[in-house]
Amino acid sequence: MKRILFALCSLLLLFTSGFNDVQAKSKEEWQDSGEIVWNVPSERKLIAITFDDGPHPLYTPLIMDVLQKHQAKATFFVIGKHAERYPELLQRGVEEGHEIGNHTYEHVGMQGISDDLFLQQLEKTEQAIIAATGIRPVFFRSVGGYYDDRLITLAADEGYRTIIWSWHQDSRDWKRPGVANIINNVAPGSHPGDIVLFHDAGGNRSETVKALDKILDQLEKEGFEFVTVSELLLHSGYEGIPSELIGL
């Protein structure tokens, strides 16, 4: 009986020890590490506008036209297979001062993805971006903003920093809630250092195009400047990401 109890205690100790080893880092710990960025403390009125899921042959050029109208810079987190199909849109983006990030090759779900498939998604998209622009991306955004210790570490080992978005700055444009709702989801709650999420593909983005023009106009009047993620980090003196990883 004593042997059975001893064995059970040993198993329990082993289990709890292993459990403690795999505890996830808190959001604050990840933010402090610099390996994930949600927003950046900034004394200047800087905002990073970001777009996921493109490029798209119709909506991405229209969005770039709006950005050009407002002399705004943005970061586009592209899907690799779309980048392969429309490399000229990535080239235009870079020529106009925008930044290109990695958003996986096929927009696959992140939860439970194997290491090999995750790294394959990063690598294929990276090669597509390099082929189009000659620039290696340094920022990664996971599908749906999902993250866990394993994926963030894998991305970091490949030289990427994961960029999410300010949780209060999700335009929710993917729902097509109407232009007014997209504006209200972004403009009233904007703060210096925010990272804002939009989409330039994945469906009809005509509402996004119209709302973006009005959002930029409103925030311009409030004194905001629109910069890439790299510029936001650089101008804010953010120390969580080494300067050699900032894509400028």
Side-chain angles (χ1 to χ4, degrees):
M1 186 65 176
K2 289 183 178 179
R3 290 181 180 179
I4 294 174
L5 288 173
F6 178 78
L8 288 174
C9 290
S10 297
L11 286 172
L12 180 61
L13 180 62
L14 179 62
F15 172 77
T16 55
S17 175
F19 181 79
N20 289 333
D21 287 343
V22 298
Q23 287 293 294
K25 288 183 182 178
S26 68
K27 177 181 175 181
E28 290 73 21
E29 289 174 318
W30 276 123
Q31 181 89 7
D32 290 343
S33 77
E35 291 179 352
I36 307 182
V37 179
W38 283 268
N39 51 268
V40 179
S42 175
E43 294 181 0
R44 292 175 58 182
K45 280 194 164 184
L46 304 176
I47 285 184
I49 303 293
T50 68
F51 298 89
D52 285 7
D53 298 353
H56 187 280
L58 173 60
Y59 300 114
T60 302
L62 290 175
I63 284 169
M64 288 183 179
D65 289 345
V66 173
L67 294 170
Q68 193 171 47
K69 171 185 173 182
H70 293 272
Q71 298 184 330
K73 301 298 182 288
T75 301
F76 290 83
F77 288 94
V78 302
I79 294 174
K81 65 179 183 180
H82 296 166
E84 288 178 344
R85 191 170 182 181
Y86 307 109
E88 70 280 1
L89 295 179
L90 274 66
Q91 293 163 8
R92 175 184 169 180
V94 170
E95 288 171 0
E96 294 181 1
H98 306 305
E99 184 168 53
I100 310 299
N102 192 322
H103 193 46
T104 76
Y105 186 78
E106 297 169 303
H107 206 259
V108 297
M110 296 284 96
Q111 190 167 8
I113 191 173
S114 70
D115 291 7
D116 287 344
L117 180 56
F118 177 71
L119 293 174
Q120 182 184 73
Q121 292 285 315
L122 281 182
E123 174 65 20
K124 291 178 72 175
T125 304
E126 179 179 306
Q127 292 306 314
I129 294 171
I130 292 173
T133 67
I135 301 171
R136 181 191 180 278
V138 295
F139 297 129
F140 164 70
R141 174 173 284 164
S142 62
V143 175
Y146 176 84
Y147 69 94
D148 60 34
D149 291 14
R150 178 177 62 93
L151 296 186
I152 301 309
T153 300
L154 285 171
D157 288 345
E158 295 299 310
Y160 285 95
R161 288 300 178 267
T162 298
I163 309 298
I164 310 290
W165 58 85
S166 306
W167 287 138
H168 63 285
Q169 285 292 27
D170 183 349
S171 69
R172 301 188 183 277
D173 60 344
W174 59 273
K175 291 184 175 181
R176 298 189 62 201
V179 172
N181 284 325
I182 295 174
I183 295 170
N184 288 333
N185 287 339
V186 175
S190 293
H191 301 94
D194 279 351
I195 298 174
V196 188
L197 173 64
F198 293 97
H199 297 80
D200 60 326
N204 185 325
R205 298 296 171 233
S206 57
E207 292 181 354
T208 301
V209 176
K210 294 175 183 177
L212 179 66
D213 189 26
K214 295 180 182 299
I215 289 169
L216 295 183
D217 185 60
Q218 181 173 331
L219 293 181
E220 272 182 320
K221 292 175 181 176
E222 296 177 18
F224 281 97
E225 300 173 63
F226 312 105
V227 297
T228 64
V229 170
S230 290
E231 291 169 328
L232 179 64
L233 296 170
L234 184 65
H235 291 304
S236 302
Y238 189 80
E239 297 179 355
I241 294 182
S243 59
E244 64 268 18
L245 293 178
I246 296 179
L248 290 177

